[in-house]
Amino acid sequence: MAVLTVGVAIQRNLFSVVVLSGIYSFLMATVLVALDAVDVAMTEASVGAGVSTVLLLGALYLCGGEEAKPLHRPWPPLLIALVIVGALVYGTLGLPAFSDPQAPIHVVVAPRYLQQALQETGVPNVVTAVLASYRGFDTLGEVTVVFTAGAGVIALLRRRRRREPPGEAR
Amino acid sequence: MKGFLILRIIAKLLIPYILIFALYVQFHGDFGPGGGFQAGVIAAAAIMLYGLVFGLPSARRLVPDAVVETMVGLGVLIYAGVGVAGLLLGGNYLDYFVLHRDPVAGQLRGIFWVEVGVAVTVNGVMLKIFYMFAGRRRRDRPS
Amino acid sequence: MSLLGHYNYWITVFLMTAGLYIVIARGNLVKKLIGLSIFQTSVYLLYVAPGKVIGGTAPILSPEYAVYSNPLPHVLILTAIVVGVATLALGLAITVRIREQYGSIEEDEILAADRDAEERG
């Protein structure tokens, strides 16, 4: 995946960039399955590699497919990126090691959900139970976000029905 | 036209299975991975495939604009409606326990309708965005 | 041991800064949006990786398994993925409109056009 992101940064033909990002999403979905996150992997595969790629291709058709040669030198952003890498790596050294059973997220809240979900909701898929029942308000907010995005796209891309010859300035 | 024949045949074979898979993911989301979001996106992807292979006007005939726009709002209303039903039946907003005599069955009913609402909205929004992007003709206008 | 234990965080950090680099160093608007989505996917990894319990299985309750991976990050990230694609769709819609108004989606040309418009009053 690291190779893919470097490819995305360097490639100038936008069509190949879109294909690379689709491959990246599929690889990310595979990694998520390896991390036991099956719902997330299914969503990432269908949304990231499916819908995103279609939307990007649609936008590319409407916008043109080549990126211009970069005018600025790449050194200032590269320097900033390296500084951020250093700061973040220093920060992550304080985080718990991978799959540590004593990490706070495994001890405090999750066991309660894992033990009680079947009796309280009757649904074996704990992720669905938490999403739809225990944290139902958040899902309501998320559906509203999706709705707002749809409304926003409609508002931005709708054509007015005006009686004017095509190609005339608006 | 000849080159597209393979695409058309394969699309015709695949699209019903994709739609059935979307329904399976939706209703089986309680027992396996899945749920409303994935089902909505997969169903939208099936219709997008139809639109890409057979042309946007055929897709528009199959799922008209009015249906898509209704779906966008309907899902949010279903979700909020489940919450209001909880209010009307005596509990808090979005309380599933009061939806049935048996609290666990009430939870199942609430989760079912909530997932349906989510799937409908996600499906509608993805399709609408696809229609908007694909239906727009390219306008080359110098600034 | 701590080196291997933190490897997943470093992958996340690399992907995050790569996405950030694409956003700030490239002028093409569509590429910036793709860099933003790479940034978002690195955050998914940041949340899901600590939830994994070695020897556990997916968090779907079943009589055959006793140890499960943590389901809470999965819930958060599910929401985040859908919100991410909504953001991408809106960003692309704005990009299409910018292309129609300015004729280009390169950041430099758009800023130059704005400056010219300002000078002309």
Side-chain angles (χ1 to χ4, degrees):
Chain A
M1 287 197 301
V3 174
L4 282 177
T5 41
V6 172
V8 167
I10 295 184
Q11 267 285 347
R12 282 177 48 204
N13 182 357
L14 284 180
F15 181 69
S16 47
V17 165
V18 169
V19 171
L20 284 177
S21 82
I23 303 176
Y24 174 83
S25 288
F26 268 126
L27 281 182
M28 174 64 75
T30 318
V31 168
L32 287 171
V33 169
L35 290 176
D36 284 345
V38 283
D39 288 78
V40 181
M42 189 186 274
T43 314
E44 168 68 24
S46 55
V47 160
V51 172
S52 276
T53 310
V54 171
L55 290 183
L56 282 170
L57 286 176
L60 267 193
Y61 165 69
L62 291 169
C63 286
E66 200 65 40
E67 182 190 10
K69 202 164 171 47
L71 286 177
H72 309 292
R73 267 165 308 170
W75 298 120
L78 205 53
L79 204 53
I80 295 178
L82 287 175
V83 166
I84 293 181
V85 165
L88 285 176
V89 166
Y90 175 65
T92 60
L93 288 178
L95 286 173
F98 183 61
S99 184
D100 179 9
Q102 296 304 319
I105 61 171
H106 293 301
V107 175
V108 182
V109 183
R112 191 247 187 228
Y113 282 140
L114 283 171
Q115 281 150 17
Q116 305 273 348
L118 200 47
Q119 295 125 301
E120 287 182 352
T121 61
V123 170
N125 187 354
V126 183
V127 174
T128 302
V130 173
L131 196 59
S133 173
Y134 288 111
R135 305 271 165 100
F137 272 108
D138 302 338
T139 314
L140 176 65
E142 174 187 356
V143 175
T144 312
V145 166
V146 171
F147 169 76
T148 312
V153 172
I154 293 178
L156 278 172
L157 290 184
R158 192 213 307 258
R159 296 243 188 223
R160 305 272 169 70
R161 300 256 174 272
R162 275 213 208 129
R163 295 281 148 247
E164 61 186 354
E168 186 101 2
R170 204 165 294 206
Chain B
M1 219 29 162
K2 236 186 247 182
F4 295 159
L5 192 60
I6 300 181
L7 270 180
R8 291 162 90 99
I9 292 182
I10 299 215
K12 271 193 183 168
L13 283 177
L14 277 182
I15 288 178
Y17 290 109
I18 302 180
L19 285 173
I20 293 186
F21 185 64
L23 283 177
Y24 165 78
V25 164
Q26 158 88 39
F27 293 117
H28 217 70
D30 294 346
F31 302 98
F37 300 107
Q38 293 90 328
V41 173
I42 294 177
I47 304 185
M48 280 188 202
L49 179 61
Y50 184 79
L52 285 175
V53 172
F54 292 98
L56 195 59
S58 332
R60 278 214 154 108
R61 262 200 308 271
L62 182 67
V63 186
D65 273 338
V67 170
V68 174
E69 287 174 8
T70 314
M71 274 202 295
V72 170
L74 190 63
V76 186
L77 282 178
I78 293 180
Y79 202 121
V82 167
V84 172
L87 265 182
L88 292 176
L89 287 172
N92 300 315
Y93 186 74
L94 271 183
D95 220 351
Y96 297 152
F97 295 112
V98 299
L99 292 175
H100 199 261
R101 270 171 294 121
D102 175 22
V104 177
Q107 287 277 332
L108 285 175
R109 195 178 271 191
I111 292 182
F112 174 76
W113 283 113
V114 155
E115 292 285 342
V116 166
V118 164
V120 166
T121 288
V122 170
N123 197 359
V125 166
M126 296 296 164
L127 266 186
K128 185 66 188 172
I129 297 180
F130 173 67
Y131 280 177
M132 294 249 107
F133 270 98
R136 201 166 178 84
R137 234 158 289 121
R138 189 169 177 169
R139 267 201 192 183
D140 277 322
R141 174 187 309 174
S143 95
Chain C
M1 193 51 217
S2 120
L3 213 63
L4 226 44
H6 288 99
Y7 175 62
N8 60 315
Y9 297 125
W10 295 341
I11 299 183
T12 303
V13 165
F14 175 78
L15 290 175
M16 199 183 277
T17 34
L20 189 65
Y21 174 76
I22 296 178
V23 170
I24 54 183
R26 293 281 178 249
N28 193 323
L29 287 180
V30 173
K31 213 178 215 196
K32 281 185 202 273
L33 283 172
I34 296 181
L36 194 63
S37 88
I38 293 179
F39 188 93
Q40 286 170 328
T41 50
S42 80
V43 172
Y44 307 153
L45 210 55
L46 176 69
Y47 270 82
V48 170
K52 157 112 178 134
V53 175
I54 296 187
T57 174
I60 299 178
L61 296 173
S62 151
E64 297 142 19
Y65 299 99
V67 187
Y68 301 101
S69 289
N70 200 333
L72 288 178
H74 303 347
V75 175
L76 292 173
I77 301 306
L78 211 53
T79 306
I81 294 180
V82 182
V83 168
V85 79
T87 313
L88 183 72
L90 269 179
L92 285 175
I94 296 183
T95 308
V96 167
R97 290 293 285 130
I98 289 182
R99 172 85 208 296
E100 291 185 354
Q101 291 297 131
Y102 286 87
S104 134
I105 52 173
E106 293 291 331
E107 187 184 23
D108 305 322
E109 299 173 17
I110 296 173
L111 288 175
D114 272 344
R115 250 178 274 129
D116 293 339
E118 265 180 34
E119 284 167 14
R120 266 185 263 125

